Amino acid sequence: MSDFDSALKIFAQEAEQLLQDMESALLTLETDPNDGETINSLFRAMHTIKGSAGLFGFNPIVAFTHEAESVLDKVRNGEQAIDAGLISVLLDSKDHTAKLVEHCLNCPDAALPDELAATSSSLIQRLTGKSPAHTLQSTDIPSPLLSEGGGNMSLDDSWLISLDFKYDALRNGMDPLSFLRYLKTLGEIKDILTFFPDMPQDAEMNPESCYLHFKIAFNSDASKQTIEAVFEFAADDCDIKILPPNSKVNDYLQLLDALDEDHVSRLGDMLLQIGALTANDVTHALNRQARARQTDMEPVKPIGEILIEQQVVQQPVVDQALKKQEQTKQKVAAESNYIRVDAGKLGHLINLVGELVISSAAMNLIVDRHGLSDAGDVAASMNSLVNAIRDTALELRMVQIGETFSRFRRVVRDVSNELGKEIELKIYGGETELDKTVVEKINDPLTHLIRNSLDHGIESPEQRLAAGKPAQGSVQLNAYHESGHIVIQIADDGAGLDSEKIVAKAIANGLIKPDHGLSQQEIYNLIFAAGLSTKEQATNLSGRGVGMDVVKKNIEALRGSVSIASFPGEGTTISIKLPLTLAIIDGFMVGANEVRYIIPLNMVDECIEMDARECEINETEHYINLRGHALPYLRLGDYFHDPKTESAKKRESVVVVKFGQDKAGLVVDALHGEHQTVIKPLGKLFEKLKCITGATVLGDGNVALILDVQGLIETAITRRKRTAAPPA
Amino acid sequence: MSIEVKQLKKAVANLVVAGEMTIYTALEQKTVFSKCLDHNKELQIDLSAVSEIDSAGLQLLLLLKREANQRHIKLSLINHSQAVVEVFELLNLGNHFGDPIVLSANWKST
């Protein structure tokens, strides 16, 4: 036992020295409270005493110094200011620690006398401002185990794993113990805490529910992925948090430094790459962020904060990753250099790529026809190259919409000054890319819509205050991608559309009859009709009733659509949906009456055989009964040709197409499958042609017409309405 | 019945658990334990014949310990079988229950 005794002696000397240092440090602080080094030495004193006391199992010292250390840690991190009051408490704490050390040395096995215990708790209360946690009772002490930085020294090399099993875990066939046994094969379980805080009283406790929670300190060289894989099967029935050992933090920091700086990656990707996180961690955090965004219950936090809250990674690692991300961003920005290219040359390139796509299709056709199997491989690889070239060429024309958006800042500023309103412009999704030609053409409609929002939408500050809204109104510009389209939203928090006024005006203009029976949505859509303005007084900005119809026309010319959502008193949101590019699309080729047509692939919902059981046609009322839903339809052959070729009853198929909320069926003779479609505009002569937007040249030299799905759906719906409506 | 209850004297009972303490037997065993908790001031649980114990069984022991503490019932677990000792070791729970565990000299080898 002499070894132990001499160790105790060293502990006593060390503690005495540290406490003396602490006293002088505290007195220095009284004159110079901002001395960072002195605060550090205070922290170290408490930390070291705690660590050494832990080695000897002097729990009263550990419990007390832990609290003092936590407070000092906060002071060190600038979260808590140090003042005369705190210094005097710390001085008392120092004296008290000395007494505790003395007590533990003299009678190590005796319980703490009441007097000392009482001083402990009163000091803890003064230190932390709250009553002492019942830390050393029973097994529920996860906090000291999981606190980083100030945690137990011996746990620095350990992974901290927390397992919170859900009630149904046992019923689902999980046995938490078996996971722990498996974990043991990967390394050494240094410490394990079992607790069950939510286990109900005897009567309510269901022995088949699982109430167990574990905190495990685990030593292993395995990677985070490997450790996580242990609990893979339990993932549905257990909240698993794996915090890398503090000693790993340095490794992570170095790995982060070594990451290449060629491109900016997302925070989650970076941490995943260095192994500090697993894909599951990132998914969980992202899901949680998405939930917060949806519910609006809590403010949306940055992903880094969520990860730290979930205790899957340490603060310093996230900080370093963010720093690295920022550095890379700057570096990339500094390095990025542009070549200015004549737009004409670019256009020419795109045209050539279009021709290349066509001739590659022609080549494939010939290879197929002659059944040249060895040429087939070459053709296939060339095909994929051509596709890659096509995508890259189109990307060359992609520009971020942000620049266009920020031009409106000035518009908003000037207009709001002119109108005497306070309006703020918020821009989201500026990095969304779309074709440059589309951007140029969308500029005018956007200007118009924004002016409308500013002028009609947002009320004057007095009106806003009276309605209980902040005096400053806001207009939001938002852009995002949605299945092959870009959506641009203009949202204001103004008064919303006044449907009564719109109806009154529309009746006065003879657009609709008094017994119109229109839905709210249809009423809102009336504002796109020519000559309708609800503004009594036209300003030089808007209100003359010309414009909205032009806006709609412009957008439709880009194969896009506009929709309105409005809530009285809350505001109006106008959404513009546009195709990403105008030059080349993925198409779906169908045939009717020996002629081929292309339907843009992203508008195709499904294809069904006509005589299939789930689909029944009603010729007289012009609808298809598709699985119990009435679907308006058009027979393409009859629509574009003379409806006389009824003779040969061929196999027919229905292609269900959708545009926004609307769906319709197109009845065709043949389905030819997907087809790369280079859109060639039709000449001036055919500009007025309904339901056809363009043409394309096929591999065999034939021409296929590209269908205007929106127009076709409208035609099908109106035809169905006409026949379905009771005779007036 | 996998638990044999012997009433040693008034309010002192000896329970011998035989066979599994698993999810399959937990419900039945819990009923017995609850009843004994209600009627005794001192409980001895003999675990010598426990052939297998899983999380559900462990939970029952944890519940028993907590209830006993709260209701000031003297609880002692005795004659831990190998299966029980293994789980207690895995979770480091020996101190929590505070009962002396007697190991046979060759328990690991069997």
Side-chain angles (χ1 to χ4, degrees):
Chain A
M1 275 316 224
S2 67
D3 271 356
F4 186 69
D5 283 342
S6 67
L8 268 184
K9 216 172 261 169
I10 295 174
F11 167 66
Q13 283 169 357
E14 186 193 46
E16 193 187 324
Q17 182 65 44
L18 282 167
L19 288 172
Q20 238 166 36
D21 289 353
M22 186 174 168
E23 185 169 4
S24 64
L26 280 169
L27 295 174
T28 321
L29 274 185
E30 220 155 24
T31 49
D32 182 6
N34 292 323
D35 190 345
E37 190 43 48
T38 314
I39 292 172
N40 267 338
S41 74
L42 279 178
F43 174 78
R44 274 200 303 270
M46 277 293 136
H47 185 74
T48 316
I49 292 178
K50 182 179 116 178
S52 320
L55 284 179
F56 292 99
F58 294 152
N59 286 340
I61 306 185
V62 176
F64 178 72
T65 47
H66 174 74
E67 296 297 335
E69 182 195 345
S70 308
V71 173
L72 284 167
D73 193 36
K74 276 189 199 149
V75 173
R76 192 170 65 150
N77 294 333
E79 286 164 35
Q80 190 172 346
I82 195 155
D83 51 23
L86 185 59
I87 289 176
S88 83
V89 180
L90 284 169
L91 279 171
D92 290 350
S93 304
K94 178 243 141 195
D95 295 342
H96 181 65
T97 311
K99 276 188 200 139
L100 284 175
V101 171
E102 198 186 354
H103 167 80
C104 286
L105 286 176
N106 292 339
C107 30
D109 297 317
L112 209 56
D114 289 345
E115 180 199 344
L116 278 180
T119 326
S120 274
S121 42
S122 80
L123 274 173
I124 289 174
Q125 201 159 5
R126 281 167 69 196
L127 275 170
T128 58
K130 55 176 189 249
S131 54
H134 40 91
T135 30
L136 284 169
Q137 282 170 11
S138 74
T139 45
D140 56 352
I141 42 166
S143 45
L145 182 60
L146 269 187
S147 69
E148 1 149 345
N152 239 325
M153 300 286 282
S154 61
L155 295 181
D156 260 5
D157 290 329
S158 304
W159 296 84
L160 298 180
I161 304 173
S162 92
L163 302 174
D164 300 311
F165 283 92
K166 296 179 186 156
Y167 292 144
D168 281 336
L170 295 177
R171 272 187 282 270
N172 291 341
M174 300 291 150
D175 184 4
L177 292 178
S178 59
F179 292 105
L180 299 179
R181 288 195 190 105
Y182 181 33
L183 183 68
K184 247 176 118 172
T185 61
L186 288 181
E188 185 195 353
I189 295 181
K190 289 287 276 188
D191 204 353
I192 182 164
L193 292 177
T194 312
F195 56 110
F196 38 94
D198 41 4
M199 188 191 285
Q201 292 301 309
D202 184 31
E204 280 104 58
M205 187 264 189
N206 180 346
E208 289 177 357
S209 293
C210 188
Y211 305 98
L212 295 174
H213 302 257
F214 297 102
K215 302 253 182 226
I216 306 160
F218 183 62
N219 275 19
S220 170
D221 294 332
S223 71
K224 190 165 186 181
Q225 270 83 357
T226 321
I227 297 179
E228 199 190 64
V230 171
F231 304 103
E232 200 179 341
F233 294 113
D236 289 339
D237 295 301
C238 180
D239 285 329
I240 306 156
K241 285 170 193 157
I242 305 172
L243 185 70
N246 285 345
S247 59
K248 274 240 176 195
V249 168
N250 274 332
D251 296 353
Y252 289 145
L253 294 184
Q254 274 168 13
L255 282 170
L256 270 176
D257 255 347
L259 276 187
D260 72 51
E261 300 185 346
D262 287 349
H263 57 274
V264 184
S265 37
R266 288 168 299 181
L267 184 67
D269 285 339
M270 289 168 79
L271 294 173
L272 198 62
Q273 210 177 334
I274 61 164
L277 291 182
T278 62
N280 274 342
D281 293 338
V282 179
T283 325
H284 280 304
L286 286 175
N287 284 346
R288 187 156 144 206
Q289 196 181 34
R291 261 204 310 281
R293 193 171 288 147
Q294 271 168 13
T295 52
D296 288 340
M297 289 290 283
E298 38 189 328
V300 180
K301 287 186 193 140
I303 197 81
E305 270 181 41
I306 295 180
L307 286 169
I308 293 169
E309 256 176 38
Q310 296 194 328
Q311 296 191 326
V312 291
V313 68
Q314 281 94 339
Q315 177 93 41
V317 181
V318 172
D319 287 349
Q320 179 70 19
L322 285 172
K323 220 165 93 189
K324 178 81 179 178
Q325 196 180 32
E326 192 52 38
Q327 274 173 5
T328 316
K329 250 184 215 163
Q330 282 172 0
K331 191 156 175 242
V332 168
E335 275 179 1
S336 63
N337 39 18
Y338 295 102
I339 306 175
R340 297 176 75 91
V341 179
D342 182 1
K345 281 184 188 168
L346 206 55
H348 187 56
L349 175 70
I350 304 250
N351 277 341
L352 285 177
V353 170
E355 297 298 330
L356 185 65
V357 170
I358 291 171
S359 57
S360 131
M363 197 188 68
N364 280 330
L365 206 72
I366 291 169
V367 169
D368 266 1
R369 193 179 296 156
H370 297 281
L372 306 168
S373 60
D374 43 352
D377 292 347
V378 182
S381 73
M382 201 189 88
N383 216 10
S384 65
L385 280 175
V386 167
N387 282 353
I389 291 179
R390 176 197 74 154
D391 291 345
T392 321
L394 288 177
E395 236 167 62
L396 290 179
R397 288 218 306 213
M398 292 296 211
V399 290
Q400 296 195 347
I401 200 166
E403 199 188 329
T404 315
F405 275 4
S406 29
R407 265 187 240 158
F408 292 114
R409 287 189 191 284
R410 184 65 194 273
V411 174
V412 170
R413 201 190 74 95
D414 291 356
V415 171
S416 44
N417 278 346
E418 197 176 320
L419 294 171
K421 297 179 182 176
E422 292 169 37
I423 301 166
E424 180 196 12
L425 180 70
K426 292 180 189 158
I427 294 177
Y428 300 100
E431 67 284 348
T432 317
E433 290 190 328
L434 78 167
D435 199 295
K436 185 155 179 16
T437 43
V438 183
V439 172
E440 280 161 5
K441 286 182 184 153
I442 198 68
N443 207 0
D444 282 350
L446 266 187
T447 316
H448 203 94
L449 289 172
I450 287 179
R451 286 194 165 172
N452 262 329
S453 282
L454 298 176
D455 196 13
H456 302 291
I458 307 270
E459 318 90 321
S460 65
E462 299 80 39
Q463 281 168 326
R464 289 184 64 89
L465 288 173
K469 296 198 249 189
Q472 192 185 45
S474 83
V475 174
Q476 239 182 54
L477 269 175
N478 192 8
Y480 56 92
H481 284 158
E482 194 185 86
S483 63
H485 284 75
I486 181 174
V487 179
I488 301 171
Q489 283 182 331
I490 301 111
D492 64 58
D493 64 347
L497 292 175
D498 186 340
S499 49
E500 279 173 32
K501 255 192 194 170
I502 298 176
V503 169
K505 202 76 177 194
I507 294 173
N509 282 6
L511 280 169
I512 53 172
K513 300 209 175 86
D515 53 344
H516 54 81
L518 293 175
S519 72
Q520 196 72 4
Q521 192 59 47
E522 285 167 318
I523 292 172
Y524 290 153
N525 283 338
L526 283 175
I527 64 166
F528 291 116
L532 190 106
S533 172
T534 54
K535 193 87 174 173
E536 284 90 6
Q537 188 189 357
T539 65
N540 55 355
L541 286 167
S542 59
R544 289 184 204 285
V546 280
M548 285 306 260
D549 59 323
V550 180
V551 166
K552 191 173 165 110
K553 238 178 249 162
N554 282 348
I555 290 168
E556 281 172 357
L558 296 169
R559 292 192 290 124
S561 65
V562 206
S563 64
I564 304 179
S566 181
F567 300 96
E570 287 174 34
T572 308
T573 302
I574 298 179
S575 306
I576 304 174
K577 205 172 173 187
L578 290 168
L580 280 181
T581 175
L582 298 176
I584 303 179
I585 57 168
D586 279 320
F588 185 76
M589 186 153 63
V590 297
N593 280 25
E594 310 296 320
V595 180
R596 295 188 172 194
Y597 299 94
I598 305 272
I599 306 168
L601 189 62
N602 50 33
M603 295 178 170
V604 175
D605 206 34
E606 59 176 329
C607 300
I608 319 161
E609 251 182 84
M610 197 58 173
D611 47 4
R613 197 167 295 156
E614 66 234 85
C615 140
E616 219 172 274
I617 197 158
N618 186 327
E619 299 270 1
T620 47
E621 288 190 25
H622 296 293
Y623 72 87
I624 294 172
N625 181 350
L626 176 66
R627 292 187 284 266
H629 292 278
L631 187 74
Y633 77 95
L634 271 185
R635 212 177 271 277
L636 272 194
D638 295 355
Y639 185 72
F640 288 113
H641 307 270
D642 293 334
K644 60 180 177 194
T645 44
E646 198 79 33
S647 54
K649 259 287 176 208
K650 285 165 291 184
R651 278 163 62 96
E652 287 180 318
S653 302
V654 184
V655 181
V656 180
V657 291
K658 59 162 194 278
F659 187 83
Q661 301 299 319
D662 300 327
K663 276 190 183 179
L666 302 177
V667 180
V668 299
D669 298 338
L671 303 173
H672 293 292
E674 289 183 34
H675 184 264
Q676 298 270 325
T677 309
V678 181
I679 300 179
K680 303 269 179 196
L682 295 170
K684 279 258 177 239
L685 256 180
F686 303 106
E687 228 169 39
K688 293 255 155 69
L689 208 57
K690 238 187 131 186
C691 302
I692 301 280
T693 53
T696 187
V697 184
L698 300 177
D700 58 7
N702 280 330
V703 170
L705 295 173
I706 300 166
L707 298 177
D708 167 22
V709 171
Q710 193 184 0
L712 283 171
I713 291 178
E714 271 167 24
T715 315
I717 290 175
T718 44
R719 195 181 66 150
R720 155 109 181 91
K721 270 198 184 144
R722 239 189 358 254
T723 49
Chain B
M1 183 59 84
S2 61
I3 302 179
E4 197 183 315
V5 184
K6 268 186 279 178
Q7 204 67 39
L8 298 179
K9 48 186 164 178
K10 192 176 156 38
V12 179
N14 174 292
L15 282 72
V16 180
V17 187
E20 299 182 1
M21 285 191 79
T22 61
I23 180 85
Y24 304 107
T25 58
L27 201 56
E28 183 194 341
Q29 288 169 342
K30 192 210 159 199
T31 336
V32 179
F33 286 145
S34 302
K35 216 155 80 197
C36 290
L37 279 172
D38 288 343
H39 296 107
N40 290 290
K41 278 284 140 206
E42 190 175 335
L43 286 180
Q44 278 176 16
I45 318 263
D46 186 332
L47 300 169
S48 59
V50 174
S51 58
E52 189 188 346
I53 177 166
D54 72 353
S55 306
L58 174 74
Q59 269 193 156
L60 278 186
L61 293 181
L62 290 170
L63 175 79
L64 212 52
K65 179 74 183 172
R66 193 186 67 187
E67 293 292 324
N69 271 352
Q70 281 171 3
R71 305 198 211 163
H72 306 289
I73 297 170
K74 189 168 175 240
L75 174 82
S76 43
L77 306 180
I78 52 172
N79 296 338
H80 306 64
S81 77
Q82 206 168 305
V84 179
V85 173
E86 192 261 337
V87 168
F88 278 20
E89 276 212 334
L90 180 68
L91 299 181
N92 205 4
L93 283 174
N95 284 338
H96 175 70
F97 286 103
D99 303 300
I101 296 176
V102 184
L103 297 182
S104 64
N106 59 345
W107 77 277
K108 276 218 167 163
S109 57
T110 46

